[in-house]
Amino acid sequence: MNRYSVFSLIKNALSGHKNWKRAWRAPEPKSHYDVIIIGGGGHGLATAYYLAKEHGIRRVAVLEKGGLGSGNIGRNTTIVRSNYMLPANTKFYEHSMKLWEGLSKDLNYNMMFSQRGIINLAHTPSQMDAFSRRGNAMLIEGVDAELLTTKEISRRVPGLYTGKNTRFPIVGGLCQPRAGTARHDAVAWGYARGADNYGVDIIENCEVIGFIKDGDRVTGVKTTRGEISAPKVGISVAGNTSPVMKLAGVNKMPIEAHVLQAFVTEPLKPLINTVVTWGAGHLYISQSDKGGLVFGGDLDGYNSYAQRGNLPIFEHVAAAAVTMFPNLSRLKLLRNWGGIMDMSMDGSPIICKGPLPGLYLNAGWCYGGFKATPAAGWCFAYTIAKDEPHNLNAAFTLDRFYNGRELDEGGAGPYPAHQ
Amino acid sequence: MSGSRLKHHGQFINYDKPIKFTFDGKEYHGFLGDTLASAMIANGKIILARSFKYHRPRGIFSAGPEEPNALVSVRSDGRLEPNSPATTIELYDGLDAYSQNAWPSLSFDIMSINQVFSPLLVAGFYYKTFMGTGQKFWHFCEHFIRRAAGMGKAGLEADPDRYEKSNIFSDVLIIGGGPAGLSAALQAASNGETITLVDENKHFGGSLYEEQGTIDGKNSSSWIEDTLKVLSEYDNVTMMTRTTVYGYFDDNTLGAVERVADHKEQPRKNEPRQRHLKIFAKHVIIATGSLERPIVFAGNDTPGVMLANAALRYANRYGVCVGDNVAIFTNNDDGYNTAHQLRNLGVNVTTVIDVRKKVDQTLITDNNIKYITGNVVTSARGGKALSVIKIAPYDMPTKTIGKEKKIKIDTLLISGGYTPTINLCSQTGTPAVFDNEIQSFIPGPPTRKWEACGAVVGNFTLEEIFIDNKIKNGNKKAIPFALTDIPSSNNSAKKFIDFQHDVSVTDLKIAYTEGFRSVEHLKRYTTLGMAADQGKTSNMNALAIMAELRGVTIPEAGTTRFRAPYKPVALGTLAGRSVGNNYRVIRRTPMHDWHLAHGADMIEAGIWYRPQVYKKNGETITDAYIREATAVRNSVGIVDVTSLGKIDVQGPDAAEFLNRIYANAFLKVPIGKARYGVMLREDGCMFDDGTSWRLSETQFLMTTTTANAANVLSEMERLLTLIWPKLKVHVSSISDQWAGMAVAGPNSRNTLEKVIKDIDFSEEGLPFMGVTDGTINAIPVKVSRLSFSGERAYEVFTATHHGITIWKNIIQAGADFNITPYGTEALGTLRIEKGHISGPELDGRTTMSDVGLGKMASSKKRYVGSVLKERIGLTDKMRKTMVGLISHDYQPLKAGSLVLEGSKNIGHLTSTTYSPALNKYIALALIQDGNTKIGNTVTAVFPLKNEKSSALVVDPHFYDKEGKRLYV
Amino acid sequence: MIIKCPHCGPREASEYTYVGDAKVIRPDHEDNDKDKWNDYVFMRCNPRGKHSEYWQHTSGCRAFLNVIRDTVSHKISNVILAGPWKIEAKK
């Protein structure tokens, strides 16, 4: 592996940049591995990395049907935060946050993790009460949080309308200073390079078309590039969870696929220096290091596997953005993309052993997949290696729905379109 | 290069209307009809901006929306618009424009030092460095990187202009008013179908203005004029210019932006700046034409290098000459056409350089032009203005060059063939297919009701468009000779592919070396095609070069799918008028104005506004709610409850239906009685609560919480339609038809008796939970004896239009008892004192047992949620249950506090208030195994403010647990 | 997206509220089997392709429609008035 640093940049510049090595190899699939991870997105690659690094399991294949990182890892709004209320979520996402804080160094790949803070805006006293409860719960779990007055918010977020002459005036907010954004593609590439360096085979353009089973036990997969066997097969395919589980003979899951759209404006000089979320509508705004304002909105609201969205969300997001920031009105939306969210029935994820012997599942990430990438990979690797969940993902079971132990952070009930 | 005007030319220019404008504060002159770009070229200025990364000076490169270089900011203050291509800005008197991404000035930009470091600042360099000692070091570097990145600056002022939205329903939508679009419109118009023809430019005609042949014996300009006249006579044809279709969505719904007033200093009064059009078309004809493609060679971004047809457009349309000594570098026949037309317009084209060795000799017609075939331009030089190019013989099979030769020119026009603008076709999900003849992608077979025609499918000539053979001497087809990047003897000169993002051939090679070879990886790693011009001039060249590096064909290398928007769209346009106060609808009760007139602070409740408190004589909110709540306990108060959801449930099976959806029994509610009920979700958690009043054997009036009104109605409709269609029940929302008010307090009966003479208010006449009808001054009212406050109380409902009259009548009647209007704060205080649940306790996660209503749930029947509410996790003894807390130390308890027992977090406070009745600070809380904790002392902590207070756990019914006050 | 309501004609999807999978069967009201109820409330086939689903025309006639829609192309192949009426939308 080329070690990356300013010196390696200079050295390569002097040799005309001809001596860089491939960031990851393009190996042919072998017939057998110790672990197969289906899905070469952020979570799958992180899982492979931690299997190798933390558990010494290096005979690992990551199978990706298309190009590495072509799913939600490159189709999100790049926000990283751990401002959750329910203790199981708070602990898990805080573990993720801690991994994020050391990730660029760990992977020798600059994730551009920019801890510029996130501010959730409240519009009514009762919303403020709910934020207080969340902030207090965060602090008690050792997560950073602060309550902000409207005046303080106004100072930190120039351009934000904080006056009263609007439908939903801002009454205050909750801030997590350590939250921020990261360069999403770099996460996939960094983990891929890291895993590859440990000997993990990352196999692109290799679609799983079936499972090899011995009775109920999963012993391998059939792919477009041949059969591959392994005693342990992990599924980490986000929006495609249901179709892949179907291949394994599991026809129903507590998951629906929904499209979430995101938008970016043309590049601008620094304008918004923190992540801002709006309580009155579903909207979050941040500015990328390149200068584009990045917006995320609400789900399109119906089951979909199309990586594209429809016009109503364009209009809703724009209306919310201009209501929040009247100075954005003349700025232009440049691009739009849609990711397929694996919306679970309670809004929280699933990282578990099963549901079949030999099978391991990482799914149900809803909106939260990107920020969870390091911890999801870390916990999934632990679960696969040890055949039992780590404390951090012990609550993220598949049978919690049957047991009435849902983790319904939003209190929305079993309606994925409303999570 | 120094531009000038070509007198007597310029089809779009009105020389009688001179225009003054400024650029970077300096005054310039142009004419009506100019774009900012054409006027600036005429003024001899072609450098309007610096590039993104290296801050290289860049000249105007095109004459249309594909412009990668000349992005400027226009207007100022609230109307400031950064990142606008100067090529699309129509000039108006007083226009002010500014250069971007250059400091201190456009001509001297300190950040151009980046060019020195450019060998380091290659594709992906930022992933490889700035890691140093960790997050701190990165945050330090990021500060500077962010300032260096970005293009234009956005202001902080609000946009003063307004935006509108409009829907268009059309049988046929034709996108693009060039030769293909106009001829399609002519054909379709006579069918009588409604046709909408849109073009993004100010003028219809598209590429026809540069067409030399004749159509029906007319030259192209007169044909356009005649055609537009013919079309305008059809009632079924709507024509719109300055209208860009940016998105093609599901079911032939398209989004478009009409630029209503962008060509004026400001919109007229009540005129929108732009209008967003949602177009519903049965059939769509995509005639979006094509864009000329650059050629990649060393120094190809030197100011003075320009697309060939752009120069022709400047000359022909705007009467602007782009240079004094002009060469054309081409790989197709169209370059010759451009050269000859330019000469006819008076532009001094001296040289044509053609990569092809064999050229149709009929093209070589002008003695004043030196035609050099089999040669390429290997480099262009000149810093801020092109001065010299090198050319050399080129051997295609080996991709090698011969001896280079210098030519001194000031302008180099490049013509690399045409790239069809397939963006909208691609947005429909149709994969593009590669057309070898034109070396470009064209739309694949449509999967929806659209078709593409003209240049967008590779039909570049009029003969191919007007199949009825009425074209004479049309322009020749641009069939490009396949080219990737051209070798150069100068290895240090950069060959740019994406000008706006400074992506060069070197970057592509690095991406290739490091394995970022698929189109998606290439784009994401190098940022190619991701700039504001969305790669309109760069995508094809990049694909060709990557294909060559990989040793595959272009279609094997792939194409990216285009997504909306085709061109950047202003947020304000998409938002329309749904901003600020109009972001969401507002519902006001009929008493709204009265509340305001009596000092009410209004507060959101769902989409409603309700009085929070009525402030008197400088009271604080706390003062006010304490006064109001005290008045209710001591005498009488009145509160507006119009926002409650109200549902009329009618039919022979109404009671059976309610019995199935409420957790408690409803079959035997007597007529004339109300009952409190709790609904669960299918998963067994609490959904909503309210009262239902039995008005007759077959009719109930149901009330719901304000927040859940719509959801409860939909859920009832779902059950009735999909699950129990045999139940004979119909439900209708009557929330808007009924106004409601609650009159509460020991004097409530006395008050109502004064105005309602036809109701017997005795215990026998109207017992607790009784419902009856009466009148106030002949206005019918429905009265039920319900209580949320715990006092004797009545709810009075009346028709919405009588709401205010009834309200005033009751207030008048209560004057003797000092009747006090109260708001949601006092309402909250009163119900917390009684331990009644509301929104904070109904948080979507709680069960009936959690909030002490477990015994209310019927064990004798099945109801929605009855099975799943028994799941182990929902019956767990360690669940949080509702208790009361009383502050030990006379300190306010804060909502959102957590409850600690020792150091263990056992729950949280849901609702808090000062209790005037108890003269204590109290709260409702959900704590683990709460029922066993009564009498314990716990700590309510609020770490966010570093506060804590000690509290006694008590039964949540703080006040009058026996309910005696209901009968006072 | 446009849904053809059998009562009201073609209307934009924003007039409707998505209700969800039409293939899940609610157990009999009197059924006490937890697993059946769990399946009904939480488990979904979530197909990639044709999906039978309910929409309510909330901003129109409030009818429930059974819509057959492809979850990849979003193409709607059929709309039937849900419930016992089963009236199809005009093609």
Side-chain angles (χ1 to χ4, degrees), chain A residues 235-247:
Chain A
I235 295 179
S236 186
V237 294
N240 285 308
T241 300
S242 294
V244 172
M245 290 302 285
K246 221 157 274 175
L247 294 176

Side-chain angles (χ1 to χ4, degrees), chain A residues 65 239-240 242-243 246 251-259 300-306 308-310 312 315 340 345 401-403 406 414 417-418, chain C residues 1 12-14 17-21 23-25 34-36 38-49 51 53 55 69-74:
Chain A
K65 76 169 172 181
N240 285 308
S242 294
K246 221 157 274 175
N251 289 322
K252 286 190 171 186
M253 293 291 293
I255 285 174
E256 287 183 5
H258 286 258
V259 168
D300 275 28
Y302 39 83
N303 286 40
S304 175
Y305 285 91
R308 70 193 148 82
N310 266 311
E315 296 177 282
I340 305 166
M345 300 306 261
F401 302 98
Y402 279 61
N403 296 336
E406 294 101 306
H418 305 139
Chain C
M1 218 157 73
E12 264 197 280
S14 54
T17 305
Y18 183 67
V19 179
D21 191 338
K23 288 278 174 69
V24 290
I25 306 291
K34 259 184 212 156
D35 286 351
K36 279 194 203 164
N38 271 320
D39 277 358
Y40 161 66
V41 174
F42 297 111
M43 303 305 274
R44 299 288 178 266
C45 282
N46 189 25
R48 192 187 156 88
H51 191 227
E53 59 200 24
W55 291 73
R69 186 181 59 94
D70 189 299
T71 56
V72 180
S73 69
H74 295 167

Side-chain angles (χ1 to χ4, degrees), chain A residues 24 39-46 64 67-80 100 103 107 111 182-192 236-239 307 337-342 365-374 376, chain B residues 520-521 524:
Chain A
W24 59 90
H43 285 213
L45 294 164
E64 167 56 47
L68 181 154
S70 54
N72 290 349
I73 189 72
R75 295 168 180 279
N76 57 70
T77 49
T78 82
I79 297 168
V80 174
W100 275 111
L103 202 55
L107 294 174
M111 303 289 159
R183 170 83 184 108
H184 55 5
D185 290 325
V187 180
W189 301 336
Y191 273 121
S236 186
V237 294
Q307 283 182 328
W337 60 93
I340 305 166
M341 305 293 124
D342 38 338
W365 286 98
C366 305
Y367 305 115
F370 178 70
K371 62 179 124 4
T373 305
Chain B
E520 269 306 308
H521 286 161
R524 288 166 181 265

